[in-house]
Amino acid sequence: MFTINENFCKLPESYLFSEVARRINAFKQAHPEADVIRMGIGDVTLPLCPAAIEAMHKAVDDEGSSETFHGYGPEQGYPFLREAIALHDYKERGMEIDPSEIFVSDGAKSDTGNFGDILSADNIVAVTDPVYPVYVDTNVMAGRAGTLADGAWSKIQYLPVTAANGFVPEIPAGDHIPDVIYLCYPNNPTGTTLTRAQLKVWVDFALKNGSLILFDSAYESFIREEDVPHSIYEIEGARKCAVEFRSFSKTAGFTGVRCGYTVVPKELTARDSEGKEVSLNHLWNRRQCTKFNGASYISQRGAAAIFTPEGRRQVKEAVDYYLTNAGILRQGLTEAGLEVYGGVNAPYVWIKAPGGMSSWEFFDLLLEKCNVAGTPGSGFGPAGEGYFRLTAFNTLDNTLEAVRRIKEAGF
Ligand code: PLP
């Protein structure tokens, strides 16, 4: 009889968003007149920009004619998109990334989740806490996490990021050296960032100890402050120790269209058990060619259009809209007496629940008193307890109204 990968059975049911939905529905049933403003979702709300729409319309037409039809494309992505990424996301910012180091995909969730395929099951994995849950859950599936007790996995190293350390993960002490370190900046869920100097500490650590950094910069386009790196490759030596994941989802509203990419530099190597040097670029290419048939031609044409002058202007306008909302949340909630973090270079604000309340207590209070729904921080990891996330992806009007209600309630 066949058997299963029992690591999957270790995963608890994804409780966070279903419990959020359950509580909102229960509240709406009890208060049908209440106009609940949802600020929990991490999905964009603005439509795609005209440049991407136009490019995708044209790509659809290409598929309708035998001269311009595209069937299976290169598994790594079309050269037109890989070259545009290498030029605009890297070269123009002073970094040398070759198109052959860029692997276009259907998004950063798949890539961050799949990358573990080419890593040994013995690796010790470190994540910041709170964390985007995909990193942890996919390592559970791969058998790297151990057992779950009190919300934490026994073999995963948690690097707390809280107000106490300014949301900067500290280098592990002593001989607790992780092999693989997931860093996500600008961060989901806290909305905070690292400066170049703070990120350099991690690059130096990885180089010294032979660790691999998996750097998720899905929110790169929200960066507005000078001292915040747009890419880990701005830091010297990162090409030898880091993989970078990017997404068009939040940059250009591609959450439904699907397109992202992963950078695996050629200098990034590991040793196999016989001491032979192995290229991660080569392994990832092999993995992708075997398991992935490329992102759709239409999505890739849409993604390439956001690098045109009008595309860049249009996506910046959309990101600016969300950042305006984030600024309104930051300022308004601070004026309401709350402790607020993030929201300057990210679409998330991270709030300390007042008066020692738990994340869920504050969720219930905000829903009851202000009819505003967010996401309890405890759902993102043990160190998220006592915090709460609001997103800037709602409309400007709803954001203003939510802030008005929260200020009126006062905390
Ligand atoms: N990485 C982080 C940190 C995210 O927050 C998200 C989406 O919310 C993703 C990756 C997923 O991006 P994509 O839509 O490209 O799969």
Side-chain angles (χ1 to χ4, degrees):
M1 180 157 161
F2 73 90
T3 52
I4 52 164
N5 177 351
E6 285 192 28
N7 292 316
F8 279 67
C9 305
K10 293 184 185 171
L11 281 169
E13 282 314 312
S14 171
Y15 151 88
L16 179 63
F17 288 101
S18 52
E19 180 61 13
V20 165
R22 192 192 67 72
R23 292 194 192 202
I24 295 174
N25 289 339
F27 180 79
K28 285 183 91 163
Q29 277 200 340
H31 308 274
E33 75 296 342
D35 169 26
V36 176
I37 301 177
R38 289 171 187 256
M39 305 191 104
I41 49 150
D43 199 355
V44 293
T45 47
L46 293 174
L48 290 176
C49 69
I53 290 293
E54 198 183 311
M56 287 195 284
H57 275 301
K58 178 165 180 318
V60 170
D61 289 340
D62 286 350
E63 295 297 69
S65 147
S66 49
E67 289 80 52
T68 50
F69 170 74
H70 288 73
Y72 289 125
E75 290 90 344
Q76 305 82 356
Y78 282 100
F80 65 77
L81 180 55
R82 297 173 93 193
E83 283 161 16
I85 292 166
L87 176 63
H88 298 293
D89 280 348
Y90 293 101
K91 198 174 178 58
E92 286 177 358
R93 289 193 175 274
M95 292 164 277
E96 284 302 329
I97 297 290
D98 192 79
S100 64
E101 297 175 314
I102 296 165
F103 295 85
V104 175
S105 71
D106 63 352
K109 186 177 196 175
S110 327
D111 285 356
T112 52
N114 291 332
F115 205 81
D117 275 14
I118 66 167
L119 303 174
S120 148
D122 303 335
N123 283 307
I124 304 291
V125 169
V127 296
T128 57
D129 172 21
V131 67
Y132 176 54
V134 173
Y135 316 148
V136 172
D137 287 3
T138 53
N139 277 293
V140 174
M141 292 170 178
R144 292 191 197 94
T147 50
L148 183 64
D150 297 330
W153 293 91
S154 58
K155 286 196 191 158
I156 299 229
Q157 270 189 30
Y158 291 87
L159 309 166
V161 282
T162 62
N165 60 13
F167 298 93
V168 178
E170 281 154 39
I171 294 290
D175 53 5
H176 292 286
I177 294 175
D179 302 303
V180 179
I181 304 151
Y182 288 83
L183 295 178
C184 169
Y185 288 97
N187 189 260
N188 178 15
T190 64
T192 58
T193 48
L194 294 185
T195 63
R196 272 184 197 86
Q198 288 163 341
L199 185 56
K200 183 176 184 307
V201 170
W202 280 97
V203 170
D204 291 347
F205 174 86
L207 289 171
K208 180 168 159 234
N209 295 294
S211 308
L212 172 68
I213 297 178
L214 298 179
F215 190 76
D216 184 346
S217 55
Y219 297 94
E220 176 274 336
S221 57
F222 290 81
I223 295 171
R224 292 292 178 269
E225 289 185 319
E226 264 305 304
D227 199 24
V228 178
H230 287 253
S231 161
I232 195 164
Y233 304 117
E234 288 182 34
I235 312 297
E236 201 185 333
R239 286 181 56 90
K240 288 203 172 85
C241 66
V243 166
E244 180 160 289
F245 303 97
R246 293 257 187 124
S247 169
F248 294 100
S249 286
K250 310 297 158 76
T251 306
F254 272 46
T255 50
V257 173
R258 312 301 306 144
C259 200
Y261 66 87
T262 290
V263 179
V264 190
K266 296 273 173 66
E267 285 98 312
L268 194 52
T269 60
R271 300 243 168 228
D272 69 11
S273 51
E274 284 157 18
K276 203 170 97 228
E277 198 167 33
V278 182
S279 151
L280 260 65
N281 180 286
H282 174 76
L283 285 192
W284 183 243
N285 187 49
R286 191 72 182 80
R287 189 266 173 215
Q288 288 297 80
C289 290
T290 303
K291 290 195 179 179
F292 183 61
N293 249 338
S296 95
Y297 171 69
I298 297 163
S299 324
Q300 292 189 64
R301 278 291 180 203
I306 71 155
F307 293 109
T308 60
E310 63 280 13
R312 298 177 99 177
R313 190 177 41 73
Q314 292 163 2
V315 294
K316 183 172 177 300
E317 249 170 48
V319 170
D320 281 345
Y321 176 86
Y322 298 132
L323 281 173
T324 301
N325 289 348
I328 289 167
L329 285 173
R330 259 186 79 87
Q331 191 186 337
L333 302 188
T334 307
E335 284 167 10
L338 291 163
E339 226 177 281
V340 185
Y341 304 93
V344 176
N345 302 289
Y348 301 117
V349 293
W350 190 243
I351 302 157
K352 181 94 185 92
M357 257 185 271
S358 75
S359 298
W360 279 110
E361 282 167 350
F362 189 56
F363 174 92
D364 289 334
L365 182 74
L366 211 58
L367 186 59
E368 289 274 340
K369 249 181 142 176
C370 308
N371 303 344
V372 171
T375 312
S378 53
F380 296 101
E385 179 55 279
Y387 289 91
F388 193 76
R389 190 189 77 173
L390 289 180
T391 84
F393 289 125
N394 214 310
T395 61
L396 174 62
D397 284 348
N398 279 346
T399 305
L400 288 166
E401 173 60 14
V403 165
R404 191 195 62 74
R405 291 183 197 170
I406 293 170
K407 279 172 102 166
E408 195 175 87
F411 287 98

